[in-house]
Amino acid sequence: MSMYEYRCDQHGSFDLQTSMGDAQPRTACPECGLQVPRVFTAPMTSSTPRSVTSVLDRTEKSRYEPEVVSSLPRRPAHQRTPTAPANPALQRLPRP
Ligand SMILES: [Zn+2]
């Protein structure tokens, strides 16, 4: 759902919540019922969570300025090497 702003000449502006893309260019004023025009405003990006903004910014940056690394990332201490598979048929296969 998105908020869209409409403005009545007599009663001022009001917001209407509707599905994105379903906003009509004109709607009825809740006080006088006249058809009033939609007003285009900046999107409310300040309500976007910081984590989402960070990921979007990093993704956009990687398009033209990818991060370059000089070594592999360190393996976590808790990660073990793979063990023999549980399936007995696969355990008979040669291993390195
Ligand atoms: Zn009105």
Side-chain angles (χ1 to χ4, degrees):
M1 298 297 271
S2 299
M3 296 291 279
Y4 295 96
E5 183 177 349
Y6 293 87
R7 183 168 298 141
C8 176
D9 290 337
Q10 298 175 356
H11 301 105
S13 62
F14 61 94
D15 293 331
L16 184 67
Q17 188 171 9
T18 183
S19 298
M20 187 174 288
D22 285 349
Q24 300 299 316
R26 300 182 76 83
T27 192
C29 172
E31 296 192 36
C32 65
L34 293 176
Q35 291 290 313
V36 295
R38 180 177 162 199
V39 179
F40 290 91
T41 57
M44 296 178 58
T45 55
S46 62
S47 61
T48 304
R50 182 176 296 271
S51 60
V52 173
T53 305
S54 172
V55 168
L56 292 175
D57 288 346
R58 192 169 176 184
T59 302
E60 180 66 24
K61 181 183 174 187
S62 70
R63 297 174 82 191
Y64 54 87
E65 194 176 324
E67 293 180 5
V68 179
V69 295
S70 59
S71 62
L72 293 174
R74 293 185 60 186
R75 175 183 282 178
H78 65 275
Q79 187 177 7
R80 297 173 42 193
T81 56
T83 58
N87 186 338
L90 296 178
Q91 289 178 355
R92 292 191 298 264
L93 294 174
R95 288 187 226 130

